[in-house]
Each structure stands twice: as C-alpha cells, then as structure tokens.
Amino acid sequence: MDPMAVADTGTLEISNLAPSHGLAPDVEEWIVDGLTEALPALRMRSLFTLRRDMLRDADLITLAVETPRRSVVGALSSRWCTTPAGGGFLHIMTQFVGERRQGDGIAFAGTWGRHIEGIYESTSEFPELWVLKTFNPIVYCAMRGFTRVPDVAFYPDIYAERQDPRIVRTAERVAAIAAPGHTFVPSTGIIRGAGEPADLYPWLPESRDEKVNDYFAATTLPGDRMLCMLSIPTPEAAETILRMFGLTPTTPQVRLARSMLGDPAPAPAGRRDGE
C-alpha cells in the first residue's frame, strides 16, 4: 500500500492509497471501523461483510481522516473497468461521507479533488466515463453538477426532455460490465437488486432537489441502485474539471482514457462496411 498524496484541510487530512498489493489487514479494519462509526444510521458493518471488494479490488482509495483522533470519516474508492473494445472507464465503488461532515462539504470536495488528482498523476490520463451505482439522491445531484462544464453529459438526466439515445446505449453497455447478472432498466437508469445489503439505508436519503427525490422514490426499491454515468468527451472539458479542483494539467492538451463503448462513427457516404 503506497501513500500517494496527503492534504491537510483543518481538522481533516485527505490522503490517497494505491492498494496495488492489497491492503494490510489492520488498515482495512481501520477504514471499516471508522466508516461504521461515522455512519451509524447505515448498516455499514453488513455492507463490508458482503462487499470488501470495494476496498480490496480498488485501484485507488481516498480517505478523509479526522485529526487528531485519526478516525476515517470519508472514503472514495475506484477501479478501472476494461471494455470489450480495449478501452476503459472509471467505476466509483465506494463514496461515503460521515454524518458529522455531510453539511460542510469539505470532506466531499476534498476526497473528490484528491481522488481526481491521484488518478491523473498515476495514469497521465483523464477518464472519459465516470460511473457509480447509488441509492442516494444527494450523490446523484453531486454527479449531475458536473454538467455545468460545457460538453459534459450525464445519464440519467431527469431534467432532459429526451435522453440522447447514444448515451442510453452506452449506459446499457456499462451496466453489463459494472453490474453483471442484474436487470438494467434503460428508461430509468435503475439496476435491480444491485445493492448489498438491500437494507443498507433505513430510509431513502433526501437531497435539496425535490424532483430528484421524487424520481428516486418512484423508480427505486430497497436493494436497487441507480446507474449514474458522467461523460467527459473533450480534453477541454477534462481540463476545466481539473482546474475546478485547483489542479494544473501536466500537458498542453489533457489526454482522455476512452471507454470505446460509444456507437461507432458512421461510414462516409458511398462506402459500405468492409470497403
């Protein structure tokens, strides 16, 4: 386990871990114990009994640690998923912020910024697709907030009059990789039964956006998860996001890690496939 970066934000220390050779057992238990204490209303112990892969299979883990207690109060983990065409997308596996820290925004913004920095520094590329599965309208709103950046698209966008069919088809392909064996409903973005344990949340969380809350209430059942997919198709959009988090691109043009999941470009007029 190699520490990659540490930032001090007052009483919070934000650090990156790259568990390329596995997490040490004591570190793994320290993370689980901290998140269990930080989120007493959720069945976190049951979650990590079933889903230690959220930590063990991660390519990068970002932690928010309260000082001086050295207690984990936030975590963000991700791994790269390979696609059939040889591309890849970033799958966010864990994204939690402790109850005491959910109102100030520091832990949330800090873990995301440090995570993005760690990915970009370790790969020299910015993921074209960011994917997560959630039961939390607050997380949905946070992801959709990136659409303020020009060219960035989001699925499912409940405010769009009509979702672009191309991004819907990409979402279907992503769901087959990120949640194999589960039924995916493209019209809503719901993956049936993808959440373990089904009763992780004692109630449906609420965001400040009533339309989003109503959408989750109408489309999800306990144990369901919504597939949230952020498409960042241009180097300019990626650069804008980096700078939003105070990060400076390391090359004149940001290199994108393409998923290769989108529809192929149409053949030029007058040509047939194979010509």
Side-chain angles (χ1 to χ4, degrees):
M1 180 177 62
D2 302 317
M4 296 176 59
V6 176
D8 189 354
T9 57
T11 61
L12 277 186
E13 182 182 273
I14 311 294
S15 61
N16 277 344
L17 304 176
S20 55
H21 302 292
L23 286 172
D26 59 330
V27 173
E28 186 175 302
E29 293 306 320
W30 170 61
I31 296 171
V32 171
D33 289 346
L35 292 176
T36 300
E37 179 184 356
L39 291 158
L42 304 189
R43 296 188 61 203
M44 298 298 291
R45 190 69 65 184
S46 296
L47 170 68
F48 284 112
T49 297
L50 296 168
R51 297 295 312 276
R52 287 293 176 109
D53 60 292
M54 290 180 167
L55 301 175
R56 294 173 181 173
D57 294 349
D59 294 316
L60 180 66
I61 300 172
T62 303
L63 300 176
V65 179
E66 278 189 338
T67 57
R69 294 181 62 230
R70 303 297 302 163
S71 179
V72 176
V73 294
L76 177 63
S77 70
S78 70
R79 69 183 180 94
W80 287 94
C81 290
T82 302
T83 64
F89 63 85
L90 193 75
H91 183 189
I92 306 297
M93 302 166 68
T94 301
Q95 203 279 297
F96 288 113
V97 174
E99 290 181 0
R100 294 193 309 276
R101 291 286 179 170
Q102 290 175 5
D104 60 24
I106 297 173
F108 183 88
T111 52
W112 272 97
R114 189 60 57 180
H115 202 79
I116 290 171
E117 181 182 38
I119 290 166
Y120 187 60
E121 287 184 347
S122 63
T123 65
S124 299
E125 293 183 324
F126 196 94
E128 173 199 22
L129 280 185
W130 298 66
V131 174
L132 62 80
K133 304 186 295 292
T134 188
F135 189 68
N136 192 335
I138 299 171
V139 174
Y140 173 96
C141 291
M143 287 284 283
R144 188 180 177 277
F146 284 99
T147 59
R148 291 191 293 267
V149 176
D151 299 324
V152 172
F154 182 68
Y155 170 89
D157 188 349
I158 67 172
Y159 282 94
E161 291 185 5
R162 179 175 178 267
Q163 193 80 63
D164 187 333
R166 293 171 297 179
I167 199 170
V168 174
R169 288 191 289 270
T170 298
E172 291 179 290
R173 295 160 187 162
V174 164
I177 297 170
H182 293 278
T183 299
F184 176 60
V185 186
S187 61
T188 61
I190 299 302
I191 306 173
R192 298 296 182 199
E196 296 181 284
D199 59 349
L200 172 64
Y201 293 85
W203 55 78
L204 184 65
E206 290 189 355
S207 72
R208 296 178 181 176
D209 190 321
E210 288 302 323
K211 184 171 182 177
V212 173
N213 296 337
D214 291 344
Y215 186 80
F216 269 77
T219 59
T220 61
L221 298 171
D224 291 345
R225 294 294 182 265
M226 185 173 293
L227 178 73
C228 293
M229 188 175 72
L230 201 65
S231 172
I232 304 164
T234 65
E236 293 78 14
E239 179 178 340
T240 298
I241 291 173
L242 287 171
R243 294 192 184 281
M244 281 171 54
F245 286 95
L247 307 175
T248 302
T250 56
T251 57
Q253 187 176 64
V254 178
R255 291 173 51 196
L256 292 175
R258 298 289 184 180
S259 70
M260 308 297 287
L261 284 174
D263 292 341
R271 289 187 60 182
R272 298 188 302 271
D273 290 345
E275 290 185 339

